[in-house]
């Protein structure tokens, strides 16, 4: 009977130690998996976003005549520049309605490029050439009959009538080479008569996505699998084949990798109507932690990422601890009561110290250090707790720094709107993080009259600290330049060259400059890849479109020249609204975007009110539309109203 309490204590200590360690390890494992998913999501969205940007910029140059649709042979230098500016994409292809075509392609894992041309000089055949890494055209590779109008990406755009993503497709490197999976984004090009003149498309190799997954550690033996809505493979960290030898895409359940196949089959037993984010599956006698979540993207591709980790690997430390505890318990039961008491004490003390340390840390004392001596597992656990405390302390410092950064950045925005006779001005900016990349400002230019106003509005790629730093840099450059001259295009050119020099083309932003003259009722505008302003004439109840002066976003390519447009004789009451895409792309809980149509309706409905009241109505209507949905992008806009002179 004397050994019964000792036995009970041994069992209790084993349970407490394993339960606390297991809960902590499962929490840490969940954080690791969340971080892995976030990194994959950001990388995949970066690939997709650059395909959209590349085709969008090319479309602007085609419609402006810089890239003539009927002379694809002149495109080669521009195609090479696109692959240099957008390393995430693998090709840019154009085909016109006459059957002419050209492309520049970079195959995954290979150096150099291939250039192709099909026009009247090639006698109806497409000719491919090798291109060096510096852009020099080399030897001819092959010729064959080709018609871009028969390609799936061309026909898909014609069928949809607008930009669209292709289905993932097999991409075969010629002469029996390796089969790769790719996806294309294509958009139609129309002339002034709204007639189709051609289709521009950009390809992304999903092999690069698989390579990124393989380089993203998921514990020691875990795997990451990217699938589409039909659960066909898009990429895996295990280098599993995603395309069969005959070019057909492979279902996850048919994968040659036994773990991927088994997990996919087990997931098929769950109802497809309910999304299962986290579950534990037993496969071949081993339990796995499987987490699946859709990639948050604005493209509507409906892709999901599944992360598979052996639960044994997560709980390895707990298993060792359990074996050690039972061994000690057995020795305690078989030994003397004194030895049992001593053994129990050696187990209770570190658990108590760790529990006290966790409680102390939970109360906010992040400087408390845990120093547990004895068993290796407890020492390791105490080291992990100390590292966790340091990480939490660093995070608290970071949050404090972010708070200061937010305060400083808010001071960089105008504290009040300028008072200009003949104008009413209202500005609004709301960040989704502590800091953001949206920016608006009002400038005084030395060469302009006092009654002229320069409105500045910019949108840095992404948000957070990095975006805020770039925004502050651009603000400083612009304000220093504004004292020298009043050419809006030259301002953008100057900012662009400095940003490319400083960032190497890795960070970019869009910007629009709008000079408003109430005396002559005119506006001048220059844009760097930003959406055009919304201009409303109340006297005719109509919205007009300003001339699209085009221009790459700032920070991508040096030497870009920016044009300026002018519009005169704007009637009294005219409303001009410039905004970042966070305004009209704000979604509600159902995923529906706010849209420019609702903004136009608010401007029309409240045009008789002051600029401040109109801006307030827009923000109130947006808040009502969004409801409980979280704001996921910065929202900034400036509204200018021409009043009676």
């Amino acid at each position: 009977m004397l050994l019964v309490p000792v036995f009970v204590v041994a069992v209790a200590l084993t349970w407490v130690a394993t339960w606390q360690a297991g809960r902590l390890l499962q929490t840490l494992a969940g954080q690791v998996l969340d971080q892995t998913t976030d990194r994959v999501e950001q990388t995949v969205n970066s690939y997709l976003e650059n395909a959209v940007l590349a085709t969008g910029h090319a479309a602007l140059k085609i419609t402006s005549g810089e890239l003539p649709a009927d002379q694809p042979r002149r495109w080669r230098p521009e195609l090479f520049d696109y692959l240099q500016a957008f390393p995430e994409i693998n090709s840019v292809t154009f085909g016109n309605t006459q059957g002419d075509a050209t492309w520049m392609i970079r195959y995954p894992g290979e150096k150099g490029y291939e250039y192709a041309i099909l026009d009247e000089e090639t006698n109806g055949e497409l000719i491919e050439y090798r291109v060096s890494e510096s852009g020099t055209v080399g030897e001819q590779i092959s010729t064959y009959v080709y018609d871009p109008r028969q390609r799936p990406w061309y026909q898909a755009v014609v069928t949809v009538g607008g930009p669209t993503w292709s289905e993932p497709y097999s991409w075969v490197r010629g002469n029996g080479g390796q089969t790769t999976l790719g996806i294309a984004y294509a958009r139609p090009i129309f002339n002034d008569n709204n007639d189709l003149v051609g289709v521009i498309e950009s390809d992304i190799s999903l092999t690069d996505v698989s390579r990124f997954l393989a380089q993203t550690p998921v514990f020691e033996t875990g795997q990451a699998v990217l699938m589409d809505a039909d659960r066909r493979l898009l990429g895996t960290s295990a280098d599993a084949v995603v395309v069969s030898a005959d070019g057909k895409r492979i279902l996850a359940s048919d994968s040659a990798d036994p773990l991927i196949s088994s997990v996919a089959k087990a997931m098929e037993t769950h109802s497809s109507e309910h999304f299962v984010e986290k579950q534990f599956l037993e496969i071949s006698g081993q339990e796995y932690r499987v987490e699946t979540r859709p990639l948050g993207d604005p493209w509507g591709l409906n892709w999901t990422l599944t992360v598979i980790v052996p639960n044994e690997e997560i709980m390895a430390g707990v298993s060792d601890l359990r074996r050690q505890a039972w061994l000690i318990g057995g020795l305690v039961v078989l030994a003397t009561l004194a030895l049992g008491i001593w053994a129990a004490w050696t187990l209770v003390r570190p658990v108590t110290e760790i529990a006290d340390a966790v409680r102390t840390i939970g109360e906010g004392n992040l400087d408390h250090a845990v120093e547990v001596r004895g068993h290796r597992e407890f020492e390791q656990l105490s080291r992990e707790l100390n590292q966790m405390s340091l990480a939490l302390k660093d995070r608290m410092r970071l949050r404090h720094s972010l708070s200061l950064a937010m305060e400083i950045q808010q001071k960089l925005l105008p504290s009040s709107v300028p008072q200009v006779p003949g104008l009413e001005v209202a500005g609004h900016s709301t960040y989704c993080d502590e800091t953001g990349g949206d920016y608006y400002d009002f400038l005084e230019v030395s060469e302009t009259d006092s009654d002229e106003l320069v409105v500045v509005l910019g949108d840095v790629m992404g948000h957070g600290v990095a975006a805020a730093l770039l925004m502050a840099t651009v603000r400083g450059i612009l304000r220093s330049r504004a004292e020298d001259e009043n050419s809006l295009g030259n301002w953008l050119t100057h900012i662009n060259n400095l940003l490319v020099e400083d960032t190497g083309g890795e960070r970019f932003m869009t910007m629009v400059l709008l000079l408003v003259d109430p005396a002559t009722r005119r506006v001048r505008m220059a844009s760097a890849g930003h959406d055009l302003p919304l201009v409303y004439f109340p006297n005719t109840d109509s919205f007009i479109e300003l001339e699209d002066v085009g221009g790459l976003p700032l920070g991508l390519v040096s030497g870009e020249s920016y044009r300026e447009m002018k519009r005169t004789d704007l009637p009294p009451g005219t409303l001009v609204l410039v905004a970042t895409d966070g305004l009209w792309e704000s979604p509600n809980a159902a995923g529906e975007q706010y849209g420019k149509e609702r903004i136009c309706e608010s401007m029309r409905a409240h045009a008789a009110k002051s600029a401040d009241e109109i801006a307030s109505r827009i923000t109130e209507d947006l808040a009502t539309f969004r409801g409980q949905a979280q704001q996921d992008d910065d929202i900034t806009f400036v509204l200018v109203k021409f009043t009676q002179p």
Side-chain angles (χ1 to χ4, degrees):
M1 293 298 294
L2 292 177
L3 296 179
V4 172
V6 178
F7 177 77
V8 172
V9 169
V11 172
L13 289 176
T14 301
W15 182 84
V16 170
T18 55
W19 176 75
Q20 288 188 340
R23 186 176 62 173
L24 177 61
L25 289 175
Q26 287 289 356
T27 300
L28 294 175
Q31 294 174 355
V32 171
L33 296 180
D34 288 343
Q35 293 173 0
T36 299
T37 303
D38 290 341
R39 289 183 58 195
V40 172
E41 180 177 303
Q42 293 172 4
T43 300
V44 171
N45 281 337
S46 175
Y47 279 64
L48 299 175
E49 182 178 28
N50 278 281
V52 175
L53 286 174
T55 57
H57 184 262
L60 288 175
K61 289 206 168 187
I62 297 171
T63 54
S64 67
E66 294 184 53
L67 293 176
D70 57 350
Q71 301 178 42
R73 188 174 291 270
R74 293 174 52 186
W75 286 40
R76 180 177 55 78
E78 195 73 26
L79 295 177
F80 179 78
D81 288 342
Y82 280 132
L83 294 189
Q84 294 291 305
F86 300 97
E88 292 86 356
I89 65 176
N90 293 85
S91 72
V92 178
T93 302
F94 174 74
N96 63 24
T97 54
Q98 286 75 40
D100 299 335
T102 186
W103 70 65
M104 185 79 72
I105 188 169
R106 166 178 46 214
Y107 286 103
E110 297 185 15
K111 295 182 178 179
Y113 309 83
E114 288 186 8
Y115 164 69
I117 181 65
L118 167 62
D119 58 12
E120 60 182 7
E121 297 183 25
T122 64
N123 297 321
E125 290 188 326
L126 183 137
I127 304 177
E128 292 183 312
Y129 300 90
R130 295 193 189 280
V131 179
S132 68
E133 294 183 76
S134 62
T136 303
V137 177
E139 62 178 335
Q140 178 177 319
I141 302 174
S142 61
T143 62
Y144 51 88
V145 176
Y146 179 86
D147 188 345
R149 297 167 296 185
Q150 303 303 316
R151 302 305 299 164
W153 50 267
Y154 193 104
Q155 295 180 350
V157 167
V158 173
T159 301
V160 174
T164 183
W165 288 97
S166 73
E167 292 293 328
Y169 62 92
S170 301
W171 184 358
V172 180
R173 181 72 170 95
N175 301 321
Q178 182 179 5
T179 301
T180 303
L181 194 63
I183 187 171
Y185 181 79
R187 65 173 76 222
I189 308 299
F190 300 96
N191 61 18
D192 294 338
N193 297 324
N194 206 29
D195 297 324
L196 181 71
V197 298
V199 176
I200 185 78
E201 67 96 11
S202 179
D203 294 274
I204 302 171
S205 168
L206 295 179
T207 298
D208 293 333
V209 176
S210 290
R211 188 176 296 115
F212 173 78
L213 292 176
Q215 295 171 353
T216 303
V218 187
F219 291 89
E220 293 185 6
T221 61
Q223 295 189 24
V225 183
L226 189 64
M227 294 180 284
D228 63 11
D230 297 327
R231 294 191 176 176
R232 296 186 182 275
L233 294 175
L234 296 168
T236 73
S237 62
D239 198 25
V241 176
V242 298
V243 181
S244 62
D246 58 359
K248 294 182 179 180
R249 296 182 55 209
I250 297 176
L251 284 167
S253 57
D254 295 334
S255 173
D257 187 290
L259 181 56
I260 295 176
S261 174
S262 298
V263 169
K265 291 177 181 178
M267 292 174 63
E268 289 176 354
T269 61
H270 294 274
S271 172
S272 59
E273 298 178 357
H274 301 284
F275 180 76
V276 180
E277 180 180 359
K278 180 176 71 174
Q279 56 187 310
F280 291 89
L281 300 177
E282 185 172 336
I283 300 172
S284 301
Q286 185 174 3
E287 187 178 44
Y288 289 85
R289 177 171 176 157
V290 180
E291 293 201 12
T292 301
R293 86 176 192 187
L295 294 185
D297 69 87
W299 321 113
L301 295 177
N302 198 15
W303 291 357
T304 60
L305 179 69
T306 298
V307 180
I308 310 166
V309 181
N311 200 47
E312 181 181 2
E313 185 175 332
I314 298 175
M315 302 297 292
V318 177
S319 299
D320 291 342
L321 178 61
R322 184 183 296 112
R323 288 191 293 269
Q324 293 278 349
W326 279 113
L327 176 61
I328 293 174
L331 292 176
V332 168
V333 172
L334 297 175
T336 64
L337 184 58
L339 181 61
I341 296 174
W342 176 83
W345 173 247
T346 61
L347 289 175
V348 170
R349 179 181 53 82
V351 172
T352 303
E353 292 180 2
I354 291 174
D356 291 341
V358 171
R359 187 181 303 106
T360 302
I361 294 172
E363 293 172 352
N365 185 4
L366 301 181
D367 293 322
H368 180 74
V370 185
E371 297 182 1
V372 177
R373 304 297 180 186
H375 293 283
R376 175 175 59 86
E377 290 78 8
F378 287 121
E379 293 180 357
Q380 179 181 356
L381 188 56
S382 67
R383 288 193 296 269
E384 294 293 336
L385 285 172
N386 289 332
Q387 292 178 2
M388 181 187 70
S389 297
L390 292 175
L392 289 173
K393 191 174 182 180
D394 289 340
R395 181 163 294 185
M396 294 297 292
R397 283 198 295 264
L398 177 60
R399 291 188 65 88
H400 178 67
S401 299
L402 285 175
S403 177
L404 293 177
M406 177 179 65
E407 180 180 349
I408 293 172
Q409 187 177 23
Q410 290 295 327
K411 291 181 179 179
L412 295 180
L413 297 177
S415 58
S416 62
V417 296
Q419 302 299 316
V420 179
L423 291 180
E424 291 182 1
V425 183
H428 173 86
S429 186
T430 303
Y431 294 152
C432 63
D433 286 339
E434 289 86 348
T435 56
D438 279 8
Y439 160 57
Y440 78 94
D441 205 350
F442 307 109
L443 300 181
E444 296 182 2
V445 184
S446 59
E447 294 186 5
T448 64
D449 296 333
S450 60
D451 289 344
E452 290 184 341
L453 175 67
V454 177
V455 177
V456 183
L457 189 132
D459 187 357
V460 181
M461 177 192 67
H463 41 79
V465 176
L469 291 175
L470 187 62
M471 183 274 275
T473 300
V474 171
R475 178 183 183 274
I477 296 173
L478 185 58
R479 282 183 166 251
S480 65
R481 191 68 175 182
E483 297 298 326
D484 297 334
E485 55 178 306
N486 66 348
S487 171
L488 305 182
N490 288 345
W491 291 359
L492 293 180
T493 299
H494 179 70
I495 296 171
N496 178 66
N497 291 335
L498 290 181
L499 285 186
V500 173
E501 180 180 347
D502 290 343
T503 67
E506 296 181 359
R507 305 286 299 182
F508 65 88
M509 70 177 295
T510 63
M511 177 173 285
V512 62
L513 301 178
L514 196 69
L515 188 147
V516 185
D517 185 352
T520 60
R521 299 202 307 276
R522 65 168 183 167
V523 295
R524 290 163 45 198
M525 183 190 72
S527 174
H530 201 87
D531 286 85
L532 293 175
L534 298 176
V535 182
Y536 177 60
F537 288 173
N539 62 333
T540 60
D541 189 25
S542 62
F543 283 86
I544 67 165
E545 291 188 359
L546 299 180
E547 177 189 351
D548 189 352
V549 292
L552 276 174
L554 302 174
L556 283 179
V557 180
S558 63
E560 177 76 1
S561 179
Y562 296 90
R563 298 188 298 114
E564 181 178 313
M565 63 76 59
K566 179 171 65 176
R567 176 79 185 227
T568 60
D569 296 329
L570 300 178
T574 297
L575 300 180
V576 181
L577 184 138
V578 288
T580 59
D581 56 9
L583 176 59
W584 50 79
E585 291 181 0
S586 290
N588 59 17
E592 178 187 4
Q593 292 186 350
Y594 185 57
K596 292 184 178 180
E597 293 79 5
R598 290 184 174 88
I599 302 173
C600 292
E601 287 303 317
S602 289
M603 293 173 65
R604 176 181 286 113
H606 306 290
K609 296 180 173 64
S610 67
D612 281 337
E613 290 177 308
I614 298 172
S616 297
R617 293 297 184 273
I618 293 175
T619 55
E620 291 171 2
D621 185 58
L622 174 61
T624 302
F625 170 81
R626 195 169 60 226
Q628 299 300 317
Q630 183 177 1
Q631 178 181 337
D632 58 4
D633 196 4
D634 302 333
I635 298 174
T636 300
F637 66 87
V638 175
L639 179 71
V640 178
K641 180 176 182 179
F642 285 82
T643 59
Q644 291 290 343

